[in-house]
Amino acid sequence: METAQKLQRRIRRIEWDGADLCVVAGGDAGVIRVEIDGAIFAPLDDRAADLRTLHFDFAPGGQSCMNASFVFDDGTRTLPVGLQWGKPGIAAAIADRPLRPLADSRLVDTQQGIDALRRAVTIVVPVYNAPDLVRACLDSVLAHSTGPARLIVIDDASTDPAVAPLLARYAGLAGVQVLTNASNRGFTATVNHGMALAGDDDVVLLNADAQVAACWLDGLRRAICADPQTASATAVSDNAGAFSVPELERENPLPAMWTFEQAACALWQGAGTAYPRLPTGNGFCMYLRRAAIDVVGMFDAEAFAEGYGEENDWSQRAEAAGWHHVVVGNVMVRHARSMSFGHDRRARLGAQGMQVLRTRWPNYEAAVGATLFSFRRRVLDWRVRRIYAAAAMPGPLPLPRLLCADEALADAAIAAEAPFELWRLRRVAAGCWLEQRVASGWVEREHTPTVTGLAACSDLLRADLHRWLQIHAIELFLDAAANEDLTGMAAALGIATARIDALTPVATAILGALCSMRSFAQVST
């Protein structure tokens, strides 16, 4: 009873108008954090001591209904209340609020965006010592990069004798170029050299102490192609400063019961594509649009010779020219950080770089501070918290999603115990349903009302399927018919496609290889 009375003194009234959550707080309330569906979302604005607010631009869980609790500094929390996006009033809490695709998802369109996805990309990896990390980085790139891509590795005169023979193993691979600087040129000059060698390609800068997983390059491509004014797209990480999730500026442990690849798969499927903006990218894993490089130029190797600030300066120059930068929340990249430079040297270089940035761009730090806590960024971090919390609960491990174009193929996939999370299209004269296989059976996720015939793909279905493939993070599309409309659309999005009449054990193994370990050499030409 004492706790209930204490909570009542702290929160006197709760109001919800469909978009704004308002709390009339007592004098001893302290900081009040809003918990949505069991995970901390954000603190209430406490600039006014008694009336505190939190505005929602859209429903963060992808469903109109959500549960809200209020958490205090001492760990106590209120019982949840129900809120409905767009509908005023407080309701009873509703159990089981799984994540769904965001209504505000940013997607590649069916025309200009698809053409942009076909642009060639050069992945530039500058290397300096740390051979074990370099090996893990390059192996992950070769295993998980798809689409028109090539890899340039530049050794900046490493002093570790193990680096040269290691890189020699990669030099003869298709689509891979290995170079060595005659003397140490510094990080920024080495990166600029790689960007110049890329020619007309878009560029991905990837630190040699980073490790990627399935769909990483497709995810970055889609983020760039969703908006023609996006200059750069940066992945999220367990350890990348402002690009760390779910907690900023921290080293975030991955769920203990998941591998890195499983955690990356879970974010690919659940983090969403709201693409929060920041006034900068981060070169640990940063996609740069060639058109922006052509306008802005290369990194400033004179002011930032050893790195730490060069991509921030470039990003600010791009913003001044009318471009912007996004965070790609559904692409997780593991990052060791500081292994080549060491923590002390990194801190020194970071301080030097920040001083240059403050002089050149006096509003930069304020802009970062404001956008770090934008609504879209809060949604991203909150969704990752929920995803990681689910890892501790009983349930299936994250698996890549296989979409079968008809019911017969889906039944064959079940019989073959295919190592995927299964989805299917069920087409009848009245429409087309997108369904997901769960423990209890098939569950409808999407529905298109009209289809012209059972085999044909109407314009309406084609547009909806294009959206479904993206928002539901499909990795493999399986069709028994020679339907160029469907398979071509999936392939354009970077989704592995196959036409198979029946799923034999051999076919299942082939599909698994297509989805989880697609060879760089096979797709780089």
Side-chain angles (χ1 to χ4, degrees):
M1 178 63 70
E2 182 180 353
T3 301
Q5 291 175 344
K6 186 176 182 180
L7 292 177
Q8 189 174 11
R9 289 196 303 269
R10 288 175 168 179
I11 293 184
R12 297 173 181 171
R13 190 171 71 253
I14 303 170
E15 298 177 354
W16 170 251
D17 68 0
D20 289 295
L21 181 62
C22 301
V23 168
V24 177
D28 62 344
V31 176
I32 304 175
R33 294 176 176 82
V34 179
E35 185 178 77
I36 299 294
D37 294 335
I40 294 296
F41 183 78
L44 285 166
D45 182 352
D46 60 356
R47 284 175 292 181
D50 54 348
L51 180 64
R52 310 191 188 187
T53 62
L54 180 62
H55 178 75
F56 288 75
D57 292 338
F58 50 86
Q63 301 193 58
S64 59
C65 297
M66 52 188 167
N67 298 327
S69 304
F70 302 92
V71 183
F72 304 95
D73 284 340
D74 60 6
T76 58
R77 54 175 33 81
T78 66
L79 293 173
V81 296
L83 309 176
Q84 185 166 347
W85 167 252
K87 183 177 180 180
I90 304 296
I94 302 174
D96 189 19
R97 312 301 309 154
L99 292 176
R100 294 287 179 255
L102 292 168
D104 200 47
S105 298
R106 306 301 172 89
L107 305 177
V108 180
D109 66 33
T110 55
Q111 296 178 349
Q112 291 182 344
I114 290 294
D115 291 338
L117 285 172
R118 298 189 177 100
R119 282 192 54 82
V121 177
T122 294
I123 304 160
V124 176
V125 179
V127 170
Y128 185 76
N129 294 335
D132 290 341
L133 292 175
V134 171
R135 181 189 299 107
C137 173
L138 298 182
D139 285 350
S140 71
V141 169
L142 297 178
H144 298 301
S145 302
T146 58
R150 60 179 172 139
L151 173 64
I152 296 178
V153 183
I154 306 177
D155 176 18
D156 192 20
S158 293
T159 57
D160 190 322
V163 171
L166 169 66
L167 296 184
R169 303 177 196 172
Y170 300 94
L173 298 179
V176 180
Q177 184 178 6
V178 176
L179 304 170
T180 301
N181 293 340
S183 60
N184 186 272
R185 299 182 59 186
F187 178 85
T188 307
T190 299
V191 166
N192 282 348
H193 184 42
M195 286 197 283
L197 291 173
D200 293 332
D201 292 358
D202 290 350
V203 173
V204 174
L205 304 180
L206 184 67
N207 278 9
D209 57 1
Q211 185 178 348
V212 301
C215 303
W216 78 284
L217 189 53
D218 293 328
L220 294 175
R221 276 195 182 102
R222 291 185 195 177
I224 283 284
C225 296
D227 185 337
Q229 289 305 116
T230 299
S232 77
T234 300
V236 296
S237 178
D238 59 331
N239 186 22
F243 294 83
S244 297
V245 291
E247 310 306 331
L248 297 168
E249 302 292 348
R250 297 185 192 176
E251 185 172 353
N252 293 269
L254 299 176
M257 57 293 299
W258 286 353
T259 65
F260 160 61
E261 289 79 9
Q262 289 168 333
C265 179
L267 262 66
W268 176 247
Q269 295 170 359
T273 58
Y275 300 144
R277 290 188 185 180
L278 277 179
T280 184
N282 187 317
F284 88 96
C285 182
M286 182 180 179
Y287 189 119
L288 289 81
R289 187 192 293 269
R290 173 55 60 176
I293 297 174
D294 290 343
V295 170
V296 178
M298 300 289 188
F299 290 168
D300 187 340
E302 182 175 349
F304 307 96
E306 296 180 90
Y308 293 95
E310 76 290 344
E311 76 269 58
N312 314 87
D313 176 70
W314 185 90
S315 298
Q316 286 290 280
R317 286 188 277 139
E319 282 207 342
W323 301 88
H324 58 250
H325 315 280
V326 298
V327 183
V328 190
N330 62 340
V331 174
M332 162 61 73
V333 174
R334 176 178 262 174
H335 188 208
R337 204 177 191 190
S338 302
M339 295 305 293
S340 294
F341 287 96
H343 291 286
D344 292 341
R345 187 182 178 197
R346 173 182 170 272
R348 176 178 59 80
L349 293 173
Q352 292 174 356
M354 183 54 68
Q355 187 57 49
V356 176
L357 291 172
R358 289 187 181 119
T359 302
R360 291 184 176 181
W361 311 102
N363 297 323
Y364 170 73
E365 287 178 286
V368 170
T371 52
L372 272 179
F373 301 105
S374 67
F375 183 79
R376 283 191 178 86
R377 181 55 193 265
R378 290 196 187 279
V379 168
L380 167 59
D381 292 335
W382 172 81
R383 288 177 78 95
V384 176
R385 289 186 196 107
R386 286 205 58 192
I387 290 167
Y388 284 2
M393 306 298 290
L397 294 172
L399 290 171
R401 290 176 173 171
L402 164 63
L403 174 59
C404 297
D406 58 46
E407 295 175 75
L409 278 175
D411 291 342
I414 294 171
E417 298 182 346
F420 304 102
E421 180 184 302
L422 295 179
W423 293 60
R424 73 179 183 186
L425 294 177
R426 185 167 60 87
R427 284 177 277 177
V428 296
C432 181
W433 282 259
L434 177 69
E435 298 176 330
Q436 180 185 13
R437 181 78 175 179
V438 298
S440 59
W442 291 102
V443 177
E444 178 189 337
R445 294 299 181 215
E446 307 283 352
H447 175 219
T448 292
T450 57
V451 176
T452 306
L454 298 184
C457 181
S458 69
D459 290 341
L460 181 59
L461 173 57
R462 190 178 191 281
D464 279 343
L465 182 61
H466 185 265
R467 180 175 64 87
W468 297 348
L469 290 169
Q470 294 180 70
I471 66 172
H472 292 293
I474 302 301
E475 291 189 42
L476 180 61
F477 181 76
L478 186 60
D479 193 1
N483 194 328
E484 294 293 342
D485 230 8
L486 297 181
T487 56
M489 179 193 307
L493 289 167
I495 296 168
T497 62
R499 298 191 186 106
I500 298 176
D501 291 328
L503 278 184
T504 64
V506 172
T508 300
I510 292 171
L511 292 179
L514 273 173
C515 193
S516 62
M517 292 292 288
R518 289 174 279 180
S519 166
F520 180 84
Q522 290 175 337
V523 298
S524 62
T525 56

